[in-house]
Amino acid sequence: MSEEQAQSDTGEAATDGAEVTPLNALSLATPPVQQVVEGALMAAGGPLTLDQILGLYPEDRRPPREEIRAAIDALTADYADRGIELVEVAGGWRIQVRRAVAPWVARLWEEKPARYSRALLETLALIAYRQPITRGEIEDIRGVTVSTQIVKTLTEREWVRVVGHRDVPGRPALYATTRRFLDYFGLRSLNDLPPLAELRDPAFFDEQLRAAGEARPDDTDHGDPR
Amino acid sequence: MSEEQAQSDTGEAATDGAEVTPLNALSLATPPVQQVVEGALMAAGGPLTLDQILGLYPEDRRPPREEIRAAIDALTADYADRGIELVEVAGGWRIQVRRAVAPWVARLWEEKPARYSRALLETLALIAYRQPITRGEIEDIRGVTVSTQIVKTLTEREWVRVVGHRDVPGRPALYATTRRFLDYFGLRSLNDLPPLAELRDPAFFDEQLRAAGEARPDDTDHGDPR
Amino acid sequence: MTAPGPPQPETPQPAAAADDGAVPLAIIRGAPLLKLPEDLYIPPDALEIFLDAFEGPLDLLLYLIRKQNLDILDIPINQITTQYMEYVELMKELRLELAAEYLVMAAMLCEIKSRMLLPRPETTDEEHADPRAELVRRLMEYERYKQAAQDLDTLPREGRDNFPVSAELSSEHIRRIPPTVELGEILAALRDVMRRADLFTSHRVARESLSLRERMSRVLELVQRGGFVPFAALFDVTEGRAGVVVSFLAVLELVKAATLELVQSESYAPIHVRLRGGEA
């Protein structure tokens, strides 16, 4: 009875913002940094940042950042021949099933992964490449209305969120992609997105159009804009 | 129809449509058994039996059972010095965080907690002011049902407990607040709670808030230290 | 897209039509429909599916242009307009619900077509630029993002190409930190619930003596273990008269609420208290 009391007393203290650790457990010998890092990345179920890993240690026992970095590098090397790999994404570091093995592992689940409609992907692409962007602007480019369902799906998946409102009548919401979006597609930042096709200079094609009236010039030298 | 091909850079068309798997991917060089076993155990999110692992392979390419067993043994040995371990449980084999590391890893989930719901606070308030009270009585006053989860949360927090049962059909439990409840809120007894009549006075809350603001000036934004 | 790869599955592939440059009115089960059948019933579903294959008028126009290897910078507006209108007419004919955007585009095409017929003054003035310029700009812009969407689809993604690992962590190590609560929050919650109660029921939560309520809980604690508890044990005379009265009232309240039961074996014998129906 009194033991329980003592234990939950520390719990009470925790709610007042004091140290939250099961101290008795942590006061045992500290395991090697690499083991803690590996255990954490394995259990997290998603990416962890360096700070999150450091946060696992009580302040007075926190290893230097470089040590965590070194452990991550060592693990990355260790996994070279394994069924898993350690990758960096926007949300930090993540352990995932090696891509070469993934098709086998995918057979664990009966259902096939979701496919996304072109409408959804085009909307997502516009938000990713043109953020922050309003729904109206997306519709202007796509030439069709964007269904509420698509915006809802993107928001619910936490790939997209409202980051503000354009200061025009109606104050339309401005959408941007999230870190979750980057993590989902295995990207470290928006810069990792496949490059957007170059837009041929409008000034050029104006001229082109004008010239077209007389004689059609050979336009093989300006590459296909995909 | 052709969605899998589109995603695969091999561009290889699936020849027989019978298999559920991205066959074009599987027709690539088969990765070592140990990598497939590791990847599967890592991603499964629970234990896997030998048969389940064998089931990842198309029938004509299934390795012998002993090979899978050997891979499991090899992995177990490989993990000897790591932050994880491979253990056999009732449902098969499972990868888990090494026990020595678990207390550190567990801190990942010690994030700042969510706030209590309005329903929970109302339930707690009614138990404090109307104790001993049954769940049915709380529901009568609130006009909505009280979820089992709320009662469980309050009981686990040791703010509320069952002090008896009303002798009516169903013998509903009677709830009352505890000593811990008083301690947490810095009350010497329930009499320190303001009388109901005061609560009806709008001015009361202004005062209450002002008092709280003075007493704990810097408590509002204690960000996570991490 | 690095691989030559298969063509876009969404875009219908007219097998024969491309050769002679004729564009089919529709593709039904892969076969081009070159002219409106008069005696043949076309299941509307087939066309709906066809219409669904396009993400709107820009997409349809791109399809028409790409199919015939036309240069997007120099669209033969006459030809395209005619073909586009054929689609629109067919859809209207079949009373398919045609998104308004398709009609807006049809109007735009017709306008461009008519402006193309007018002689253009020799000037570099913006206003007198090629009437197709705006359409071309939009088509190119849309095509970029159409491509970007396809690229996005080929990125490795979670649950399809990536599987995050999840090692088990025994829950005994996980400690949940309960949220902090301010007394004010509880009081505010109580006020709200009482307001609601006032609205929805006739009975009011009358002013209660909290000391009585508290004492009721304490009495119940004392008899909690089951069996009989001497009545006298429920009172603490050191509390003074007020305390004893509150305890007495608490016992009466509990008896009234059918929670406690008072037992006296004979007159003047000691009174005992026990929980009613307590089986423990």
Side-chain angles (χ1 to χ4, degrees):
Chain A
M1 199 55 180
S2 60
E3 255 179 44
E4 250 180 67
Q5 208 91 340
Q7 200 190 341
S8 39
D9 276 345
T10 57
E12 206 77 271
T15 58
D16 297 333
E19 191 52 74
V20 291
T21 326
L23 277 171
N24 44 350
L26 287 187
S27 61
L28 297 171
T30 310
V33 168
Q34 191 173 325
Q35 286 193 12
V36 173
V37 173
E38 184 175 40
L41 286 172
M42 287 281 185
L48 289 181
T49 62
L50 243 155
D51 284 337
Q52 281 174 310
I53 297 172
L54 279 169
L56 301 180
Y57 290 89
E59 263 178 65
D60 55 333
R61 247 181 294 174
R62 211 155 275 181
R65 292 177 84 81
E66 304 79 55
E67 214 174 309
I68 307 277
R69 270 303 322 226
I72 291 173
D73 291 343
L75 287 171
T76 310
D78 280 353
Y79 294 163
D81 271 337
R82 311 200 69 102
I84 48 174
E85 57 190 359
L86 208 166
V87 295
E88 188 179 359
V89 291
W93 279 272
R94 174 171 81 190
I95 298 177
Q96 62 188 35
V97 174
R98 176 169 300 284
R99 284 206 66 183
V101 173
W104 270 264
V105 173
R107 289 169 58 102
L108 279 176
W109 296 281
E110 288 277 307
E111 58 191 288
K112 289 220 198 171
R115 287 198 74 238
Y116 298 106
S117 68
R118 272 181 63 199
L120 182 136
L121 287 167
E122 286 180 9
T123 305
L124 181 59
L126 276 160
I127 296 174
Y129 286 89
R130 297 275 297 240
Q131 58 190 297
I133 189 172
T134 66
R135 198 154 142 178
E137 287 159 358
I138 297 170
E139 291 174 346
D140 283 347
I141 296 173
R142 293 193 58 229
V144 283
T145 49
V146 171
S147 82
T148 307
Q149 187 52 49
I150 285 179
V151 177
K152 201 169 149 232
T153 304
L154 292 174
T155 318
E156 278 173 359
R157 305 222 78 192
E158 291 181 53
W159 288 348
V160 153
R161 67 195 170 100
V162 174
V163 290
H165 294 268
R166 194 160 319 284
D167 200 14
V168 294
R171 298 186 34 79
L174 284 165
Y175 293 92
T177 54
T178 62
R179 206 173 68 178
R180 178 89 196 90
F181 161 79
L182 294 172
D183 288 345
Y184 185 86
F185 287 100
L187 305 167
R188 268 169 309 172
S189 78
L190 287 175
N191 289 330
D192 285 352
L193 281 171
L196 197 56
E198 294 268 322
L199 196 58
R200 280 186 280 179
D201 187 358
F204 167 79
F205 76 67
D206 267 348
E207 216 165 282
Q208 175 95 9
L209 289 165
R210 231 171 289 118
E214 294 131 42
R216 270 194 73 197
D218 189 347
D219 66 345
T220 45
D221 54 339
H222 24 266
D224 188 7
R226 297 163 161 246
Chain B
M1 208 41 184
S2 52
E3 53 261 34
E4 286 91 30
Q5 290 100 288
Q7 84 194 38
S8 151
D9 275 356
T10 65
E12 198 176 325
T15 38
D16 58 339
E19 270 299 343
V20 286
T21 326
L23 267 177
N24 47 345
L26 284 187
S27 64
L28 297 169
T30 310
V33 169
Q34 190 172 323
Q35 288 193 11
V36 174
V37 173
E38 183 176 40
L41 286 171
M42 287 281 185
L48 288 182
T49 62
L50 245 158
D51 284 336
Q52 281 174 306
I53 297 172
L54 278 170
L56 302 181
Y57 289 88
E59 264 180 61
D60 55 333
R61 247 181 291 175
R62 213 156 273 178
R65 292 178 83 83
E66 305 78 58
E67 214 175 312
I68 306 278
R69 272 298 327 223
I72 291 173
D73 291 343
L75 286 171
T76 311
D78 280 354
Y79 294 163
D81 267 339
R82 313 204 67 104
I84 46 172
E85 55 193 359
L86 208 168
V87 295
E88 190 175 0
V89 294
W93 280 272
R94 175 175 86 182
I95 292 175
Q96 62 187 34
V97 175
R98 179 170 297 286
R99 287 195 74 83
V101 172
W104 268 264
V105 175
R107 286 171 56 104
L108 278 179
W109 286 274
E110 288 176 359
E111 296 289 318
K112 231 190 183 156
R115 301 191 50 199
Y116 282 139
S117 68
R118 197 76 187 172
L120 182 139
L121 294 173
E122 287 181 8
T123 304
L124 178 59
L126 284 170
I127 295 175
Y129 275 82
R130 302 275 298 174
Q131 60 189 287
I133 187 170
T134 66
R135 199 155 136 179
E137 287 161 356
I138 298 169
E139 289 173 350
D140 284 347
I141 299 173
R142 286 194 60 227
V144 284
T145 53
V146 172
S147 79
T148 308
Q149 189 51 51
I150 286 178
V151 177
K152 199 170 153 236
T153 304
L154 289 173
T155 318
E156 278 175 359
R157 189 129 195 208
E158 293 180 55
W159 281 352
V160 155
R161 65 197 175 111
V162 174
V163 290
H165 294 267
R166 201 168 306 295
D167 196 21
V168 294
R171 305 197 65 252
L174 285 164
Y175 294 94
T177 53
T178 61
R179 179 84 229 157
R180 185 173 288 278
F181 166 83
L182 294 175
D183 289 346
Y184 183 90
F185 292 101
L187 305 167
R188 270 165 307 153
S189 81
L190 287 177
N191 281 324
D192 286 353
L193 285 172
L196 286 181
E198 274 183 35
L199 294 186
R200 292 173 188 268
D201 181 0
F204 171 80
F205 274 91
D206 295 344
E207 222 157 276
Q208 183 84 15
L209 287 173
R210 222 174 300 122
E214 280 155 25
R216 320 177 65 171
D218 62 345
D219 197 51
T220 42
D221 195 26
H222 263 190
D224 202 338
R226 287 168 218 166
Chain C
M1 283 287 251
T2 46
Q8 278 316 297
E10 295 87 353
T11 312
Q13 302 298 314
D19 298 334
D20 54 0
V23 167
L25 292 173
I27 313 292
I28 291 163
R29 294 203 185 90
L33 178 70
L34 290 165
K35 98 187 186 25
L36 266 182
E38 269 141 34
D39 53 350
L40 186 71
Y41 171 73
I42 305 175
D45 290 355
L47 262 159
E48 252 169 71
I49 290 164
F50 177 70
L51 191 57
D52 279 347
F54 295 110
E55 285 300 324
L58 288 172
D59 200 22
L60 173 55
L61 274 179
L62 271 182
Y63 167 73
L64 295 174
I65 291 165
R66 290 296 176 214
K67 223 52 247 169
Q68 299 166 87
N69 280 321
L70 299 173
D71 185 355
I72 200 168
L73 291 186
D74 188 15
I75 308 167
I77 204 76
N78 247 322
Q79 188 185 342
I80 290 291
T81 304
T82 311
Q83 290 168 358
Y84 184 92
M85 293 311 287
E86 277 169 1
Y87 275 99
V88 170
E89 282 309 312
L90 179 62
M91 292 166 190
K92 283 208 303 212
E93 195 108 358
L94 291 164
R95 293 183 220 284
L96 290 180
E97 206 183 309
L98 195 60
E101 293 97 347
Y102 284 91
L103 299 175
V104 171
M105 177 59 74
M108 184 181 177
L109 285 171
C110 291
E111 198 220 323
I112 295 172
K113 192 172 135 185
S114 59
R115 276 172 59 198
M116 292 288 282
L117 296 173
L118 300 173
R120 263 186 293 157
E122 285 287 324
T123 166
T124 51
D125 199 346
E126 276 285 312
E127 283 172 45
H128 299 291
D130 192 304
R132 296 172 300 179
E134 171 62 11
L135 177 65
V136 169
R137 189 195 62 76
R138 288 187 63 190
L139 281 170
M140 286 175 52
E141 184 79 343
Y142 171 66
E143 196 176 35
R144 290 171 93 197
Y145 291 103
K146 183 182 165 177
Q147 182 61 49
Q150 286 167 15
D151 292 347
L152 209 56
D153 202 21
T154 61
L155 287 177
R157 45 165 121 123
E158 239 173 80
R160 189 185 71 182
D161 315 288
N162 287 332
F163 298 96
V165 305
S166 56
E168 198 85 13
L169 180 68
S170 54
S171 57
E172 64 182 285
H173 294 292
I174 299 176
R175 288 163 46 88
R176 309 223 172 267
I177 305 168
T180 48
V181 180
E182 300 278 339
L183 187 56
E185 289 178 74
I186 296 182
L187 300 179
L190 184 66
R191 178 193 50 183
D192 289 354
V193 76
M194 289 194 358
R195 277 198 189 137
R196 281 211 318 272
D198 285 348
L199 273 177
F200 297 121
T201 68
S202 53
H203 81 261
R204 294 182 150 240
V205 180
R207 188 187 162 123
E208 293 280 353
S209 162
L210 276 169
S211 53
L212 173 60
R213 289 270 159 203
E214 187 169 42
R215 193 55 58 99
M216 286 163 71
S217 296
R218 286 251 302 270
V219 168
L220 281 173
E221 272 169 46
L222 285 171
V223 299
Q224 200 45 232
R225 307 219 164 219
F228 291 101
V229 176
F231 185 65
L234 301 178
F235 300 90
D236 180 359
V237 283
T238 62
E239 286 183 330
R241 184 185 301 267
V244 171
V245 168
V246 170
S247 292
F248 184 66
L249 287 173
V251 171
L252 291 184
E253 274 293 327
L254 289 167
V255 169
K256 190 174 116 197
T259 305
L260 277 192
E261 131 176 270
L262 294 176
V263 180
Q264 191 178 28
S265 52
E266 56 185 90
S267 300
Y268 304 111
I271 299 171
H272 282 83
V273 182
R274 73 161 173 188
L275 276 175
R276 275 191 69 166
E279 63 271 88

